[in-house]
Amino acid sequence: MSKVTGFFTTLALVIGMSPVWAETIGQITVTGEGSVFAVPDMALISMGASAEADTAKRAMDQTSAITSAILNQLTDTGVAERDIQTSDLNLMPLWSNRTSSENRPKIEGYQASNRVTVRVRDLDALGGILDAVLSDGANQLGGLQFLVSDPEPLLNEARVKAVADARARAELFAAAAGVQLGPLLSLNEGGAQMPRPEMMGMARMADAEVPVARGEAELRASVTLVYQIQSH
């Protein structure tokens, strides 16, 4: 086919499509959400050690001793080294006379702290692990988050539900407005949400394991769809 023939064929197609485009009267933008529930098979714990002393070295030495005891206890309870990580090592002065306008503030001691983050893959051992590390001196307990080790298939299921939810909303709005839903113009994911960590207060259990309940984890997804509106 020659270039001239191809040009006129394309022009004819555009002209033939123009009445359809002329019937477009607007757009519908909708957001849909989908969620999936699953029993967690892993937990993420944030714990740590903090100590105060009259010198920076003593404060750091005490914190390091507690941290070492925590790490040893975690290893003894069967937690793999790859699932243990230390972070946020911190040392700060403790000031006196901070609220007095007559006397200059001065350092009266130091506080050192260290954080340990642990992945627990055997949830049946979670209560015993918490009890063991608290007994060994951990004096800071932050978030406990129950997770699914392979969340992507579940998130994909939530995404499919979110698209279906958005499509149903678009059809409902179009019917209520007395218009015809046209083709899909765009699809944007609003984000996927994993379970949020739960904050745990300081606890010390001497004779019993710390009670925990895993429940179900909710994984959520949201999407935004934009449809053309066409008149009847």
Side-chain angles (χ1 to χ4, degrees), residues 92-116:
M92 65 177 62
L94 300 175
W95 297 88
S96 64
N97 301 325
R98 291 296 296 269
T99 60
S100 174
S101 59
E102 298 179 357
N103 300 316
R104 294 181 58 184
K106 65 178 181 178
I107 298 175
E108 62 179 10
Y110 292 86
Q111 181 185 59
S113 61
N114 200 358
R115 182 182 298 273
V116 181

PDB file of all heavy atoms in Angstrom, residues 92-116:
ATOM      1  N   MET A  92      23.597  10.153  75.967  1.00  0.00           N
ATOM      2  CA  MET A  92      23.263  11.565  76.159  1.00  0.00           C
ATOM      3  C   MET A  92      23.515  11.971  77.605  1.00  0.00           C
ATOM      4  O   MET A  92      23.404  11.139  78.526  1.00  0.00           O
ATOM      5  CB  MET A  92      21.799  11.824  75.780  1.00  0.00           C
ATOM      6  CG  MET A  92      20.791  11.137  76.666  1.00  0.00           C
ATOM      7  SD  MET A  92      19.081  11.560  76.211  1.00  0.00           S
ATOM      8  CE  MET A  92      19.030  10.923  74.547  1.00  0.00           C
ATOM      9  N   PRO A  93      23.834  13.232  77.830  1.00  0.00           N
ATOM     10  CA  PRO A  93      24.062  13.709  79.208  1.00  0.00           C
ATOM     11  C   PRO A  93      22.748  13.930  79.938  1.00  0.00           C
ATOM     12  O   PRO A  93      21.716  14.214  79.327  1.00  0.00           O
ATOM     13  CB  PRO A  93      24.806  15.030  78.996  1.00  0.00           C
ATOM     14  CG  PRO A  93      24.362  15.501  77.658  1.00  0.00           C
ATOM     15  CD  PRO A  93      24.127  14.267  76.828  1.00  0.00           C
ATOM     16  N   LEU A  94      22.801  13.795  81.258  1.00  0.00           N
ATOM     17  CA  LEU A  94      21.682  14.123  82.130  1.00  0.00           C
ATOM     18  C   LEU A  94      22.003  15.427  82.836  1.00  0.00           C
ATOM     19  O   LEU A  94      23.006  15.534  83.546  1.00  0.00           O
ATOM     20  CB  LEU A  94      21.458  12.998  83.150  1.00  0.00           C
ATOM     21  CG  LEU A  94      21.136  11.619  82.570  1.00  0.00           C
ATOM     22  CD1 LEU A  94      21.071  10.583  83.683  1.00  0.00           C
ATOM     23  CD2 LEU A  94      19.814  11.659  81.800  1.00  0.00           C
ATOM     24  N   TRP A  95      21.157  16.429  82.625  1.00  0.00           N
ATOM     25  CA  TRP A  95      21.428  17.766  83.129  1.00  0.00           C
ATOM     26  C   TRP A  95      20.649  18.050  84.412  1.00  0.00           C
ATOM     27  O   TRP A  95      19.528  17.570  84.590  1.00  0.00           O
ATOM     28  CB  TRP A  95      21.047  18.818  82.084  1.00  0.00           C
ATOM     29  CG  TRP A  95      21.838  18.740  80.818  1.00  0.00           C
ATOM     30  CD1 TRP A  95      21.554  17.991  79.714  1.00  0.00           C
ATOM     31  CD2 TRP A  95      23.043  19.433  80.523  1.00  0.00           C
ATOM     32  NE1 TRP A  95      22.494  18.171  78.741  1.00  0.00           N
ATOM     33  CE2 TRP A  95      23.440  19.061  79.214  1.00  0.00           C
ATOM     34  CE3 TRP A  95      23.840  20.338  81.230  1.00  0.00           C
ATOM     35  CZ2 TRP A  95      24.573  19.555  78.601  1.00  0.00           C
ATOM     36  CZ3 TRP A  95      24.979  20.842  80.621  1.00  0.00           C
ATOM     37  CH2 TRP A  95      25.344  20.449  79.323  1.00  0.00           C
ATOM     38  N   SER A  96      21.238  18.840  85.270  1.00  0.00           N
ATOM     39  CA  SER A  96      20.549  19.354  86.452  1.00  0.00           C
ATOM     40  C   SER A  96      20.362  20.859  86.284  1.00  0.00           C
ATOM     41  O   SER A  96      21.038  21.506  85.472  1.00  0.00           O
ATOM     42  CB  SER A  96      21.354  19.065  87.718  1.00  0.00           C
ATOM     43  OG  SER A  96      22.594  19.752  87.699  1.00  0.00           O
ATOM     44  N   ASN A  97      19.456  21.418  87.074  1.00  0.00           N
ATOM     45  CA  ASN A  97      19.184  22.862  87.047  1.00  0.00           C
ATOM     46  C   ASN A  97      18.738  23.347  85.666  1.00  0.00           C
ATOM     47  O   ASN A  97      19.008  24.487  85.296  1.00  0.00           O
ATOM     48  CB  ASN A  97      20.422  23.673  87.490  1.00  0.00           C
ATOM     49  CG  ASN A  97      20.882  23.312  88.882  1.00  0.00           C
ATOM     50  OD1 ASN A  97      20.073  23.006  89.748  1.00  0.00           O
ATOM     51  ND2 ASN A  97      22.190  23.347  89.081  1.00  0.00           N
ATOM     52  N   ARG A  98      18.046  22.492  84.937  1.00  0.00           N
ATOM     53  CA  ARG A  98      17.604  22.917  83.606  1.00  0.00           C
ATOM     54  C   ARG A  98      16.486  23.956  83.684  1.00  0.00           C
ATOM     55  O   ARG A  98      16.296  24.739  82.751  1.00  0.00           O
ATOM     56  CB  ARG A  98      17.115  21.694  82.806  1.00  0.00           C
ATOM     57  CG  ARG A  98      18.227  20.724  82.422  1.00  0.00           C
ATOM     58  CD  ARG A  98      19.236  21.367  81.485  1.00  0.00           C
ATOM     59  NE  ARG A  98      18.655  21.722  80.223  1.00  0.00           N
ATOM     60  CZ  ARG A  98      18.633  20.929  79.156  1.00  0.00           C
ATOM     61  NH1 ARG A  98      19.176  19.719  79.230  1.00  0.00           N
ATOM     62  NH2 ARG A  98      18.095  21.311  78.029  1.00  0.00           N
ATOM     63  N   THR A  99      15.733  23.930  84.780  1.00  0.00           N
ATOM     64  CA  THR A  99      14.608  24.868  84.912  1.00  0.00           C
ATOM     65  C   THR A  99      14.935  26.067  85.791  1.00  0.00           C
ATOM     66  O   THR A  99      14.085  26.932  86.009  1.00  0.00           O
ATOM     67  CB  THR A  99      13.385  24.131  85.504  1.00  0.00           C
ATOM     68  OG1 THR A  99      13.719  23.609  86.779  1.00  0.00           O
ATOM     69  CG2 THR A  99      12.936  22.991  84.593  1.00  0.00           C
ATOM     70  N   SER A 100      16.153  26.118  86.295  1.00  0.00           N
ATOM     71  CA  SER A 100      16.526  27.233  87.178  1.00  0.00           C
ATOM     72  C   SER A 100      17.184  28.344  86.373  1.00  0.00           C
ATOM     73  O   SER A 100      18.058  28.103  85.536  1.00  0.00           O
ATOM     74  CB  SER A 100      17.488  26.740  88.268  1.00  0.00           C
ATOM     75  OG  SER A 100      17.947  27.833  89.033  1.00  0.00           O
ATOM     76  N   SER A 101      16.773  29.570  86.658  1.00  0.00           N
ATOM     77  CA  SER A 101      17.368  30.729  85.985  1.00  0.00           C
ATOM     78  C   SER A 101      18.558  31.288  86.762  1.00  0.00           C
ATOM     79  O   SER A 101      19.292  32.138  86.256  1.00  0.00           O
ATOM     80  CB  SER A 101      16.315  31.822  85.782  1.00  0.00           C
ATOM     81  OG  SER A 101      15.782  32.227  87.038  1.00  0.00           O
ATOM     82  N   GLU A 102      18.749  30.810  88.003  1.00  0.00           N
ATOM     83  CA  GLU A 102      19.818  31.331  88.840  1.00  0.00           C
ATOM     84  C   GLU A 102      21.105  30.523  88.702  1.00  0.00           C
ATOM     85  O   GLU A 102      22.200  31.087  88.766  1.00  0.00           O
ATOM     86  CB  GLU A 102      19.359  31.336  90.303  1.00  0.00           C
ATOM     87  CG  GLU A 102      18.154  32.222  90.554  1.00  0.00           C
ATOM     88  CD  GLU A 102      17.710  32.180  92.006  1.00  0.00           C
ATOM     89  OE1 GLU A 102      18.327  31.408  92.779  1.00  0.00           O
ATOM     90  OE2 GLU A 102      16.768  32.900  92.357  1.00  0.00           O
ATOM     91  N   ASN A 103      20.979  29.217  88.538  1.00  0.00           N
ATOM     92  CA  ASN A 103      22.154  28.356  88.451  1.00  0.00           C
ATOM     93  C   ASN A 103      22.323  27.810  87.031  1.00  0.00           C
ATOM     94  O   ASN A 103      21.349  27.475  86.363  1.00  0.00           O
ATOM     95  CB  ASN A 103      22.031  27.179  89.430  1.00  0.00           C
ATOM     96  CG  ASN A 103      21.901  27.659  90.868  1.00  0.00           C
ATOM     97  OD1 ASN A 103      22.611  28.566  91.291  1.00  0.00           O
ATOM     98  ND2 ASN A 103      20.976  27.042  91.604  1.00  0.00           N
ATOM     99  N   ARG A 104      23.562  27.743  86.611  1.00  0.00           N
ATOM    100  CA  ARG A 104      23.838  27.208  85.273  1.00  0.00           C
ATOM    101  C   ARG A 104      23.610  25.697  85.259  1.00  0.00           C
ATOM    102  O   ARG A 104      23.957  24.991  86.212  1.00  0.00           O
ATOM    103  CB  ARG A 104      25.281  27.503  84.872  1.00  0.00           C
ATOM    104  CG  ARG A 104      25.584  28.986  84.689  1.00  0.00           C
ATOM    105  CD  ARG A 104      27.012  29.170  84.265  1.00  0.00           C
ATOM    106  NE  ARG A 104      27.284  28.460  83.029  1.00  0.00           N
ATOM    107  CZ  ARG A 104      28.495  28.377  82.461  1.00  0.00           C
ATOM    108  NH1 ARG A 104      29.533  28.943  83.061  1.00  0.00           N
ATOM    109  NH2 ARG A 104      28.648  27.731  81.332  1.00  0.00           N
ATOM    110  N   PRO A 105      23.008  25.170  84.184  1.00  0.00           N
ATOM    111  CA  PRO A 105      22.833  23.717  84.086  1.00  0.00           C
ATOM    112  C   PRO A 105      24.191  23.022  84.082  1.00  0.00           C
ATOM    113  O   PRO A 105      25.176  23.536  83.547  1.00  0.00           O
ATOM    114  CB  PRO A 105      22.116  23.543  82.738  1.00  0.00           C
ATOM    115  CG  PRO A 105      21.485  24.859  82.460  1.00  0.00           C
ATOM    116  CD  PRO A 105      22.415  25.885  83.040  1.00  0.00           C
ATOM    117  N   LYS A 106      24.238  21.852  84.683  1.00  0.00           N
ATOM    118  CA  LYS A 106      25.465  21.064  84.670  1.00  0.00           C
ATOM    119  C   LYS A 106      25.130  19.594  84.488  1.00  0.00           C
ATOM    120  O   LYS A 106      24.032  19.134  84.804  1.00  0.00           O
ATOM    121  CB  LYS A 106      26.252  21.266  85.964  1.00  0.00           C
ATOM    122  CG  LYS A 106      25.554  20.770  87.203  1.00  0.00           C
ATOM    123  CD  LYS A 106      26.423  20.961  88.436  1.00  0.00           C
ATOM    124  CE  LYS A 106      25.730  20.430  89.689  1.00  0.00           C
ATOM    125  NZ  LYS A 106      26.608  20.575  90.887  1.00  0.00           N
ATOM    126  N   ILE A 107      26.097  18.872  83.968  1.00  0.00           N
ATOM    127  CA  ILE A 107      25.910  17.446  83.726  1.00  0.00           C
ATOM    128  C   ILE A 107      26.076  16.695  85.037  1.00  0.00           C
ATOM    129  O   ILE A 107      27.096  16.809  85.711  1.00  0.00           O
ATOM    130  CB  ILE A 107      26.918  16.935  82.682  1.00  0.00           C
ATOM    131  CG1 ILE A 107      26.696  17.642  81.338  1.00  0.00           C
ATOM    132  CG2 ILE A 107      26.806  15.425  82.508  1.00  0.00           C
ATOM    133  CD1 ILE A 107      27.722  17.279  80.281  1.00  0.00           C
ATOM    134  N   GLU A 108      25.047  15.922  85.391  1.00  0.00           N
ATOM    135  CA  GLU A 108      25.111  15.134  86.613  1.00  0.00           C
ATOM    136  C   GLU A 108      25.205  13.634  86.343  1.00  0.00           C
ATOM    137  O   GLU A 108      25.298  12.838  87.269  1.00  0.00           O
ATOM    138  CB  GLU A 108      23.895  15.404  87.488  1.00  0.00           C
ATOM    139  CG  GLU A 108      22.573  15.029  86.853  1.00  0.00           C
ATOM    140  CD  GLU A 108      21.399  15.289  87.783  1.00  0.00           C
ATOM    141  OE1 GLU A 108      21.598  15.928  88.833  1.00  0.00           O
ATOM    142  OE2 GLU A 108      20.294  14.844  87.449  1.00  0.00           O
ATOM    143  N   GLY A 109      25.175  13.252  85.079  1.00  0.00           N
ATOM    144  CA  GLY A 109      25.294  11.848  84.724  1.00  0.00           C
ATOM    145  C   GLY A 109      25.037  11.646  83.243  1.00  0.00           C
ATOM    146  O   GLY A 109      24.923  12.614  82.478  1.00  0.00           O
ATOM    147  N   TYR A 110      24.966  10.373  82.849  1.00  0.00           N
ATOM    148  CA  TYR A 110      24.770  10.034  81.443  1.00  0.00           C
ATOM    149  C   TYR A 110      23.762   8.895  81.327  1.00  0.00           C
ATOM    150  O   TYR A 110      23.626   8.059  82.234  1.00  0.00           O
ATOM    151  CB  TYR A 110      26.095   9.619  80.790  1.00  0.00           C
ATOM    152  CG  TYR A 110      27.079  10.754  80.665  1.00  0.00           C
ATOM    153  CD1 TYR A 110      27.929  11.067  81.722  1.00  0.00           C
ATOM    154  CD2 TYR A 110      27.151  11.525  79.520  1.00  0.00           C
ATOM    155  CE1 TYR A 110      28.835  12.115  81.634  1.00  0.00           C
ATOM    156  CE2 TYR A 110      28.052  12.580  79.407  1.00  0.00           C
ATOM    157  CZ  TYR A 110      28.882  12.870  80.470  1.00  0.00           C
ATOM    158  OH  TYR A 110      29.766  13.910  80.371  1.00  0.00           O
ATOM    159  N   GLN A 111      23.078   8.885  80.210  1.00  0.00           N
ATOM    160  CA  GLN A 111      22.146   7.805  79.902  1.00  0.00           C
ATOM    161  C   GLN A 111      22.534   7.202  78.555  1.00  0.00           C
ATOM    162  O   GLN A 111      22.688   7.917  77.568  1.00  0.00           O
ATOM    163  CB  GLN A 111      20.704   8.301  79.837  1.00  0.00           C
ATOM    164  CG  GLN A 111      19.689   7.202  79.544  1.00  0.00           C
ATOM    165  CD  GLN A 111      18.287   7.755  79.378  1.00  0.00           C
ATOM    166  OE1 GLN A 111      18.041   8.598  78.515  1.00  0.00           O
ATOM    167  NE2 GLN A 111      17.368   7.300  80.219  1.00  0.00           N
ATOM    168  N   ALA A 112      22.685   5.890  78.541  1.00  0.00           N
ATOM    169  CA  ALA A 112      22.999   5.171  77.314  1.00  0.00           C
ATOM    170  C   ALA A 112      21.854   4.219  76.990  1.00  0.00           C
ATOM    171  O   ALA A 112      21.172   3.708  77.890  1.00  0.00           O
ATOM    172  CB  ALA A 112      24.306   4.387  77.462  1.00  0.00           C
ATOM    173  N   SER A 113      21.623   3.979  75.709  1.00  0.00           N
ATOM    174  CA  SER A 113      20.556   3.074  75.301  1.00  0.00           C
ATOM    175  C   SER A 113      20.934   2.382  73.995  1.00  0.00           C
ATOM    176  O   SER A 113      21.750   2.886  73.226  1.00  0.00           O
ATOM    177  CB  SER A 113      19.226   3.815  75.130  1.00  0.00           C
ATOM    178  OG  SER A 113      19.336   4.809  74.121  1.00  0.00           O
ATOM    179  N   ASN A 114      20.347   1.232  73.776  1.00  0.00           N
ATOM    180  CA  ASN A 114      20.582   0.453  72.567  1.00  0.00           C
ATOM    181  C   ASN A 114      19.295  -0.288  72.237  1.00  0.00           C
ATOM    182  O   ASN A 114      18.566  -0.715  73.138  1.00  0.00           O
ATOM    183  CB  ASN A 114      21.727  -0.548  72.770  1.00  0.00           C
ATOM    184  CG  ASN A 114      22.325  -1.012  71.454  1.00  0.00           C
ATOM    185  OD1 ASN A 114      21.868  -0.616  70.394  1.00  0.00           O
ATOM    186  ND2 ASN A 114      23.333  -1.855  71.522  1.00  0.00           N
ATOM    187  N   ARG A 115      19.002  -0.428  70.970  1.00  0.00           N
ATOM    188  CA  ARG A 115      17.765  -1.077  70.528  1.00  0.00           C
ATOM    189  C   ARG A 115      18.089  -2.377  69.804  1.00  0.00           C
ATOM    190  O   ARG A 115      19.057  -2.457  69.042  1.00  0.00           O
ATOM    191  CB  ARG A 115      16.976  -0.149  69.600  1.00  0.00           C
ATOM    192  CG  ARG A 115      15.640  -0.720  69.118  1.00  0.00           C
ATOM    193  CD  ARG A 115      14.966   0.250  68.170  1.00  0.00           C
ATOM    194  NE  ARG A 115      14.664   1.510  68.832  1.00  0.00           N
ATOM    195  CZ  ARG A 115      13.543   1.723  69.519  1.00  0.00           C
ATOM    196  NH1 ARG A 115      12.641   0.767  69.640  1.00  0.00           N
ATOM    197  NH2 ARG A 115      13.336   2.902  70.082  1.00  0.00           N
ATOM    198  N   VAL A 116      17.251  -3.380  70.037  1.00  0.00           N
ATOM    199  CA  VAL A 116      17.389  -4.672  69.378  1.00  0.00           C
ATOM    200  C   VAL A 116      16.068  -4.995  68.673  1.00  0.00           C
ATOM    201  O   VAL A 116      15.002  -4.957  69.295  1.00  0.00           O
ATOM    202  CB  VAL A 116      17.724  -5.798  70.382  1.00  0.00           C
ATOM    203  CG1 VAL A 116      17.878  -7.139  69.648  1.00  0.00           C
ATOM    204  CG2 VAL A 116      18.996  -5.466  71.154  1.00  0.00           C
TER     205      VAL A 116
END
